[in-house]
Amino acid sequence: IFIEKTQYHKFAENLMRLILTYADNNWTKILLTCRPENLDVFANLSGKNPMFRSCWFNVDFSAEDMSEAINVPVFSEEEIRNVLNKLNFNHSLEFLKIYHDDILEVLQYPNFLSILADVYQQKGDDISKIVLLNSYIEKRVHSLPFRDEKKFLIDQFFELCDWGKETTSVKKELLPDKGHGAGFKELISHGLIYEYMQPNEEIFNHFVYVRFCQNLIFEFLLAGQWLRDKIPDTELIGKMRKFYSGNDSLRCRLMQMVGEILLHYKDYQTIARLHLISEESIDGSITSISQIPRDLVTMSGVIKKSMRYDEDSRQLLIPFLAKTTIGQKLYFEEAFDIDGIMIASGEVLSAYSNRKPPQSDAFTHYMRFFQGFLSLNKEQCNNEYEKMLEIDWKSIHSPIISSYCYNVQIIYASFFNGDHTRHLLKKIFLHADLLRKEKLQSFDDLPEFELSIISALNLCNKYEEIIKLSDYIEDNYDCSLFEGSPFYQYHRLCLSRALLHKTNEEKAMEVFDSIVDIQFPDHMKYYMNINVNLIRIDFLLTRNKQNEAIEMINNIKQLSSLLKFNYFFDKAVKLENQINSTTLTN
């Protein structure tokens, strides 16, 4: 069929008709696996029949290089949830998102389903991304009868592409046996690698290239090539970082993989030394995360997430890192894991030690106060509030840290003291003016001080104060420069809610509808998303979309329960009761 052009196009057209026939059946899914050059034929056919495009999942028919397209979609969240149910998995999808999103990164690929089932039966909950990838490679690469041939072919692949330094593809004709051996065919049939054609400068001459089907597998095997069956040390990691100095993206992804391997083997000493070496290599004092190598920042994200389930990393690694400047920046201060404050990160606050005691005291006591607030622990809030009154706030120059002085007063007054907070607004404006006068915040800076306070005001339903502070931001900053900031967009969302409750519904809807999907940093993603969804519920109810509001409330309750955010759980329950009582009345 593929040799005869006429027959080939007939086959493709018949297959297109078959796909169109099943397009309206939501109970079936056709999985078509083909080489990228064959996908070009379907791209051409889709141009003739626009309906055909709608039958495909996640395939960009307009892509210049169809080798970048995928016609077997990764699992959706609903499909992953069904898979976990069929396996009688001990934990929910939402649990994995918070505690083990590394497993979800692997599980989204359909060919890992059987691997998860096998590993789960053998190890139960003792699974991780590295365990799954190791098991996958054992089954797909280290399996007989062509084990040695497959391993040799992969070794040669990495040699030919210079270990991924500049390219992740290799000409097929350069591989052992020119890619015609049984081992090569098995790697193709197992879904590890695929072939694609690329035109040469001579119009009638094409080269066949080979690459890995998934970057995840490429990076895991590449890390294995460097490690050669041994746990990495700082010298080896240093060589890796230097080797990929011209490929920042791959260096970051490889360091993420190395971090996961080190955590898997509980080699905290190497992680600690790596941070120290990086700190020594930085000229001058470290004042922000932007000064820290990006690949180390990427690794820190892996470490912060591991803290949620790995008690050893909290007890053995973080206290050591908390004594270093680079550790303070990566694991506390602006990068502190708010999502894990009740389940992990809150435990290590006592280890935080800054070279500027007033600032470290302010950070530590505010986070403990916030921990008490989220858990509805009034005694803890009282204790931390009293300690914060003793801090010398005038000597703190960080805009975000200085905002904690006002945030704690707003929250404490609203929930525990019954006092009004309007008298604070004048002090807030004076402090904001002072920050700009001392050039700690300027016209073209993101107004961190004001945005932090608006977040606290929104928690306390201080609508009038939110509107006034929002007007101050618009008057004193060039907001067009940070339209893309999630924190600025969240401030706009808080403003829309304030306008809605101050009976300016038309303006509120205008602001709310102008806000696109907001993506927050990983260390506060769930905390911020809960806040965002609580605001959205107000607008859903205004638009009489009670069913959607209830669905969102259930999601908030589930996340709040997993994160131990009692405040948000109770708030969601109250909203649910209000909706139910209103429905019964109607």
Side-chain angles (χ1 to χ4, degrees):
I1 289 176
F2 292 100
I3 295 172
E4 295 290 336
K5 185 177 180 182
T6 304
Q7 291 275 50
Y8 176 61
H9 280 273
K10 273 187 183 179
F11 171 75
E13 287 177 0
N14 286 336
L15 189 54
M16 182 184 79
R17 292 190 186 98
L18 178 66
I19 292 170
L20 283 167
T21 300
Y22 281 90
D24 294 328
N25 292 336
N26 57 15
W27 48 266
T28 187
K29 180 184 290 184
I30 296 174
L31 300 183
L32 174 64
T33 61
C34 65
R35 300 183 184 188
E37 64 268 23
N38 296 327
L39 199 55
D40 285 325
V41 175
F42 292 101
N44 183 48
L45 289 172
S46 71
K48 297 177 182 177
N49 191 331
M51 279 290 294
F52 187 55
R53 286 175 178 259
S54 65
C55 301
W56 294 70
F57 296 87
N58 300 334
V59 178
D60 180 12
F61 284 113
S62 61
E64 292 183 11
D65 183 1
M66 293 310 291
S67 68
E68 298 298 328
I70 178 173
N71 67 334
V72 181
V74 296
F75 280 137
S76 66
E77 285 195 358
E78 182 183 358
E79 287 172 320
I80 293 175
R81 189 177 280 109
N82 289 335
V83 167
L84 296 176
N85 289 337
K86 287 180 184 295
L87 290 174
N88 293 319
F89 202 68
N90 282 348
H91 304 295
S92 66
L93 173 65
E94 285 67 29
F95 178 91
L96 290 182
K97 283 182 180 179
I98 294 170
Y99 290 91
H100 286 288
D101 71 336
D102 59 326
I103 294 176
L104 290 181
E105 184 185 354
V106 178
L107 185 57
Q108 66 177 329
Y109 295 107
N111 55 357
F112 279 98
L113 172 57
S114 61
I115 303 294
L116 175 71
D118 290 345
V119 172
Y120 182 60
Q121 286 178 357
Q122 296 170 19
K123 295 179 175 290
D125 286 351
D126 187 23
I127 55 178
S128 67
K129 176 179 176 180
I130 300 303
V131 170
L132 290 175
L133 288 173
N134 270 328
S135 182
Y136 180 77
I137 297 305
E138 282 296 319
K139 287 178 178 289
R140 298 292 192 262
V141 178
H142 299 158
S143 55
L144 297 172
F146 309 112
R147 177 181 57 197
D148 294 338
E149 188 177 337
K150 287 183 287 186
K151 289 173 68 176
F152 179 68
L153 195 147
I154 288 173
D155 288 343
Q156 291 302 300
F157 179 94
F158 283 112
E159 289 287 344
L160 290 167
C161 73
D162 196 17
W163 296 46
K165 190 174 185 179
E166 294 183 3
T167 179
T168 56
S169 301
V170 168
K171 281 184 184 178
K172 181 180 177 181
E173 65 177 28
L174 299 178
L175 291 170
D177 297 327
K178 296 189 176 181
H180 295 297
F184 181 86
K185 292 176 181 177
E186 190 167 291
L187 288 175
I188 288 228
S189 66
H190 280 336
L192 268 86
I193 60 175
Y194 70 90
E195 304 173 16
Y196 68 96
M197 294 181 70
Q198 188 167 306
N200 192 11
E201 292 178 359
E202 301 173 21
I203 193 167
F204 297 110
N205 192 7
H206 290 71
F207 286 126
V208 178
Y209 285 82
V210 177
R211 69 188 301 176
F212 281 87
C213 292
Q214 295 151 6
N215 287 334
L216 182 65
I217 299 300
F218 173 82
E219 290 152 14
F220 183 66
L221 288 171
L222 179 57
Q225 292 288 315
W226 278 95
L227 306 182
R228 293 293 184 182
D229 301 321
K230 67 177 181 179
I231 299 176
D233 55 28
T234 50
E235 183 180 354
L236 178 60
I237 295 172
K239 289 178 181 177
M240 293 168 64
R241 297 174 75 189
K242 185 177 181 180
F243 185 81
Y244 296 105
S245 59
N247 189 338
D248 196 47
S249 177
L250 180 57
R251 189 175 80 253
C252 287
R253 297 198 306 272
L254 202 55
M255 282 293 287
Q256 176 180 333
M257 187 68 71
V258 168
E260 288 165 335
I261 291 171
L262 288 168
L263 289 167
H264 174 74
Y265 290 106
K266 294 185 176 293
D267 185 3
Y268 306 120
Q269 191 174 17
T270 298
I271 294 174
R273 285 204 303 268
L274 185 62
H275 283 70
L276 281 175
I277 291 169
S278 296
E279 182 167 323
E280 290 168 0
S281 67
I282 297 173
D283 294 329
S285 60
I286 303 171
T287 58
S288 74
I289 286 181
S290 61
Q291 295 170 270
I292 301 171
R294 201 161 71 90
D295 58 339
L296 197 63
V297 176
T298 302
M299 180 186 277
S300 72
V302 173
I303 294 167
K304 273 184 283 193
K305 288 179 181 178
S306 78
M307 286 169 54
R308 297 178 190 174
Y309 61 85
D310 181 10
E311 186 177 349
D312 288 342
S313 69
R314 299 197 296 271
Q315 293 183 353
L316 303 175
L317 178 62
I318 301 302
F320 173 82
L321 293 177
K323 293 179 173 61
T324 66
T325 303
I326 204 168
Q328 292 161 8
K329 291 296 178 187
L330 288 176
Y331 302 97
F332 298 91
E333 300 181 8
E334 60 194 285
F336 184 70
D337 183 19
I338 297 293
D339 287 341
I341 193 170
M342 304 303 301
I343 54 180
S345 56
E347 289 182 19
V348 299
L349 280 169
S350 57
Y352 179 63
S353 176
N354 198 291
R355 293 169 187 169
K356 300 176 182 177
Q359 184 164 309
S360 75
D361 291 343
F363 173 83
T364 303
H365 292 306
Y366 179 70
M367 286 303 165
R368 284 179 175 157
F369 172 87
F370 205 64
Q371 190 181 35
F373 165 66
L374 288 174
S375 61
L376 298 178
N377 185 333
K378 186 175 181 179
E379 183 179 355
Q380 182 172 339
C381 288
N382 282 331
N383 291 338
E384 298 304 325
Y385 179 75
E386 293 296 328
K387 291 173 183 176
M388 291 189 77
L389 293 178
E390 300 172 5
I391 293 172
D392 179 14
W393 292 96
K394 291 180 181 179
S395 63
I396 295 175
H397 302 295
S398 164
I400 190 74
I401 299 292
S402 62
S403 72
Y404 297 161
C405 172
Y406 302 98
N407 290 353
V408 71
Q409 293 181 68
I410 292 166
I411 295 171
Y412 188 80
S414 298
F415 290 99
F416 303 107
N417 207 21
D419 289 344
H420 295 293
T421 56
R422 291 180 183 176
H423 68 282
L424 279 176
L425 203 58
K426 185 176 180 180
K427 292 181 180 179
I428 289 168
F429 287 142
L430 288 172
H431 196 110
D433 288 339
L434 181 64
L435 288 172
R436 289 189 299 110
K437 182 180 178 181
E438 294 183 354
K439 297 183 179 180
L440 297 171
Q441 284 190 168
S442 61
F443 181 69
D444 53 0
D445 285 336
L446 184 71
E448 292 180 337
F449 173 80
E450 293 89 335
L451 296 183
S452 174
I453 290 174
I454 283 178
S455 182
L457 290 170
N458 180 69
L459 281 174
C460 305
N461 301 329
K462 301 299 179 182
Y463 307 124
E464 189 174 329
E465 289 86 342
I466 288 172
I467 293 170
K468 288 181 179 179
L469 194 51
S470 179
D471 288 341
Y472 179 90
I473 290 173
E474 298 295 326
D475 291 341
N476 292 282
Y477 296 91
D478 184 0
C479 296
S480 64
L481 296 175
F482 28 82
E483 287 283 349
S485 165
F487 304 106
Y488 177 75
Q489 289 298 322
Y490 178 65
H491 135 257
R492 298 275 295 160
L493 206 56
C494 294
L495 173 63
S496 69
R497 178 172 181 255
L499 291 168
L500 184 68
H501 284 272
K502 295 303 286 184
T503 66
N504 193 345
E505 186 172 319
E506 184 178 350
K507 178 65 175 175
M509 293 295 181
E510 180 186 334
V511 175
F512 179 80
D513 290 335
S514 70
I515 298 167
V516 295
D517 186 39
I518 311 174
Q519 300 294 324
F520 293 101
D522 276 352
H523 64 280
M524 60 173 62
K525 178 171 62 179
Y526 293 111
Y527 168 77
M528 292 303 300
N529 283 341
I530 288 172
N531 279 282
V532 166
N533 286 339
L534 284 168
I535 294 174
R536 286 175 175 161
I537 287 169
D538 280 4
F539 284 87
L540 286 173
L541 295 176
T542 301
R543 289 169 168 167
N544 296 315
K545 295 182 177 180
Q546 280 82 0
N547 290 337
E548 289 182 42
I550 287 292
E551 186 178 341
M552 201 167 279
I553 285 170
N554 287 333
N555 179 260
I556 291 171
K557 285 164 60 180
Q558 187 174 26
L559 281 176
S560 299
S561 178
L562 287 168
L563 293 165
K564 300 181 182 179
F565 289 168
N566 296 342
Y567 167 75
F568 288 122
F569 186 89
D570 283 7
K571 192 165 186 175
V573 170
K574 288 175 184 176
L575 276 169
E576 187 178 35
N577 292 336
Q578 288 173 14
I579 294 171
N580 290 336
S581 63
T582 303
T583 303
L584 287 172
T585 304
N586 293 339

